[in-house]
Amino acid sequence: MPVKPDCEKLCPEWPCDDPFEFKGVWVVAEADENELNEASLQMLTPAKKIASKLGEKIVGILVGYNVKKWADELIKHGADEVIVVDDERLKTYYPRVYGQVIVDLAKKYKPSVILVSATMRGREMAPYIANTLRTGITADCTDFDVDEKTGDVLMIRPPFAAIMLAYIKTPFRKPQMGTARPNVFPVPPRDESRSGPVIEEKAEIIPPGMELAYYKPVKREEVLIEKAEIIVSVGKGIGGPDGVKLAEKLASLLGGVVAGSRKAVDAGWIPPERQVGQTGKSVKPVLYIAIGISGAAQHMIGVREAGRIVAINIDPDAPIFNQADYGIIGDYREIVPALIEELERLKKEGPKAIEELLKEEEEAAAS
Ligand SMILES: Cc1cc2nc3c(=O)[nH]c(=O)nc-3n(C[C@H](O)[C@H](O)[C@H](O)COP(=O)(O)OP(=O)(O)OC[C@H]3O[C@@H](n4cnc5c(N)ncnc54)[C@H](O)[C@@H]3O)c2cc1C
């Protein structure tokens, strides 16, 4: 059970409220007229774990213009209720304006936890909210739990440069805030039978303190690795651009995209927006082929949600083999061309060749 901290001693300049007053696990959803960001739905997964352990409800927060329509989507995916501030003056996103609306809501409703997805907007807004509410925040969590003795939320993440996990809590301040990168958690399944209240709130909209002079959409990377079904990922072991070309050929035959480890990015072989891992992106492909990647914890954290991992590595003791579903030990310069050749053959010969191959495999497995 939570205990009221000795606030005056701990931080006399910030008197804190009674922790028993704070209830509810909030998920700040990111939405505009056209889209509800999938990463917001993903945050409902850890929210569910925390809320069920605390015995509290999950509340979705929607701030913007013409965004009330997304409330039902949040409920169907797990929110118990949704608070909406839908205002034409929120049509343009300004981090301070949006952040202040959430601060005002938090002051009124006193949630015990606020979760924000670490998207570009989330990264901008969450620290503003935490600082204005004078509370702590843990960025880029990879898991959340609850300390059964104290009821404190445990924000779990790898600390810098360490192969271990840090359990961070905010014991003396409420709400407790945490962010997680997109794709670290799955979207909870949609349940058509769910329904819940949608509370419409009016908010005071502060002046943004800046003016949007013009809007020029940034040309986006056409390849979004976070959405790819098949990823061929290269590491330092690929040795250079020629190896990347081989990986690209394999990826194109499989209908996938190429990504890489930080060392491959640092070497300039792979663009930074295609880096997988702790300081890159989290991905959730059906198939992840890792070529010349050792399997450092900071890389593997980005492939937690991958369906199947195939590792190709020359070193039989490479740590990636501990986590891969299939491991091929050997020089990629021999293995990848052989895979390409076989895929080209199958493509040329059509479905019958694939059927024959599957039959051969079944027979081999049975014998
Ligand atoms: C705070 C922090 C954050 C980080 N964030 C990330 C991150 O987001 N993403 C990330 O990837 N890393 C990250 N790192 C770096 C991470 O710790 C590793 O250094 C990095 O992932 C290693 O990359 P690699 O596997 O490509 O290279 P290496 O560890 O050098 O491995 C190369 C592998 O290639 C194999 N190899 C060599 N030649 C061949 C061949 N011919 N055929 C087949 N295999 C071959 C070797 O056996 C070896 O296993 C981070 C580190 C820190 C400290």
Side-chain angles (χ1 to χ4, degrees), residues 160-161 234-237 260-264 275-280 292-296 298-299 312-315 318 330-333:
F160 281 111
V234 301
K236 189 75 199 293
S261 72
R262 190 158 104 178
K263 280 197 183 174
Q275 180 184 316
V276 174
Q278 187 184 326
T279 42
I293 293 179
S294 58
Q298 293 91 352
H299 182 82
I312 302 171
N313 200 302
I314 203 162
D315 174 7
D331 191 327
Y332 86 87
R333 285 169 292 197

Side-chain angles (χ1 to χ4, degrees), residues 53-99:
K53 291 199 174 189
L54 292 176
E56 295 177 9
K57 61 187 172 188
I58 303 174
V59 183
I61 305 296
L62 272 170
V63 173
Y65 174 57
N66 214 355
V67 291
K68 190 183 158 202
K69 58 188 169 192
W70 305 118
D72 190 49
E73 195 64 11
L74 288 168
I75 290 170
K76 295 274 187 286
H77 283 279
D80 298 302
E81 64 181 48
V82 176
I83 300 173
V84 188
V85 176
D86 203 320
D87 191 310
E88 200 173 350
R89 290 170 296 168
L90 294 167
K91 194 166 181 174
T92 304
Y93 162 75
Y94 292 108
R96 235 184 112 230
V97 178
Y98 271 52

Side-chain angles (χ1 to χ4, degrees), residues 48 77 91 143 162 167 190 192 204 258 281 320 332:
K48 194 171 173 197
H77 283 279
K91 194 166 181 174
D143 205 356
Y167 287 62
R190 192 186 160 87
E192 285 303 330
E204 194 192 321
V258 171
K281 288 179 177 165
I320 195 157
Y332 86 87

Side-chain angles (χ1 to χ4, degrees), residues 343-357:
L343 284 166
E344 279 175 338
R345 181 185 73 81
L346 291 172
K347 210 170 166 191
K348 205 163 135 203
E349 292 177 15
K352 204 159 170 269
I354 297 173
E355 269 170 38
E356 273 169 22
L357 188 75

Side-chain angles (χ1 to χ4, degrees), residues 87-327:
D87 191 310
E88 200 173 350
R89 290 170 296 168
L90 294 167
K91 194 166 181 174
T92 304
Y93 162 75
Y94 292 108
R96 235 184 112 230
V97 178
Y98 271 52
Q100 190 59 43
V101 169
I102 294 162
V103 166
D104 291 342
L105 290 175
K107 282 185 178 160
K108 177 171 175 185
Y109 285 92
K110 296 191 190 307
S112 64
V113 182
I114 302 181
L115 300 180
V116 185
S117 176
T119 56
M120 298 282 257
R121 278 194 189 186
R123 284 179 181 282
E124 234 170 13
M125 261 199 307
Y128 175 86
I129 298 167
N131 184 51
T132 315
L133 291 172
R134 299 281 192 237
T135 191
I137 181 165
T138 307
D140 294 346
C141 297
T142 53
D143 205 356
F144 296 87
D145 210 339
V146 172
D147 182 329
E148 280 176 17
K149 281 197 200 122
T150 59
D152 291 328
V153 174
L154 302 170
M155 316 269 176
I156 305 169
R157 57 156 295 159
F160 281 111
I163 306 173
M164 57 171 89
L165 288 174
Y167 287 62
I168 299 164
K169 51 187 182 178
T170 312
F172 306 124
R173 309 292 308 177
K174 291 268 166 59
Q176 306 156 87
M177 289 189 65
T179 71
R181 285 162 174 256
N183 289 339
V184 168
F185 297 100
V187 174
R190 192 186 160 87
D191 179 351
E192 285 303 330
S193 68
R194 287 183 60 83
S195 62
V198 178
I199 302 157
E200 288 185 64
E201 277 285 349
K202 294 268 169 274
E204 194 192 321
I205 313 290
I206 60 164
M210 59 174 98
E211 200 182 319
L212 183 68
Y214 65 93
Y215 175 76
K216 185 178 168 198
V218 177
K219 205 169 157 249
R220 279 184 101 164
E221 241 278 285
E222 298 213 331
V223 174
L224 291 174
I225 59 165
E226 55 273 45
K227 296 212 189 280
E229 296 263 303
I230 295 176
I231 296 180
V232 177
S233 196
V234 301
K236 189 75 199 293
I238 204 87
D242 286 346
V244 178
K245 273 193 201 128
L246 264 186
E248 276 166 355
K249 192 157 184 202
L250 179 61
S252 99
L253 278 165
L254 291 167
V257 302
V258 171
S261 72
R262 190 158 104 178
K263 280 197 183 174
V265 170
D266 288 348
W269 305 332
I270 296 291
E273 55 288 355
R274 296 204 205 175
Q275 180 184 316
V276 174
Q278 187 184 326
T279 42
K281 288 179 177 165
S282 292
V283 293
K284 47 171 188 174
V286 180
L287 176 64
Y288 188 79
I289 304 181
I291 309 175
I293 293 179
S294 58
Q298 293 91 352
H299 182 82
M300 298 312 285
I301 215 147
V303 294
R304 273 192 346 173
E305 293 292 323
R308 287 275 183 277
I309 299 177
V310 176
I312 302 171
N313 200 302
I314 203 162
D315 174 7
D317 296 323
I320 195 157
F321 289 130
N322 298 329
Q323 293 185 53
D325 298 280
Y326 301 95

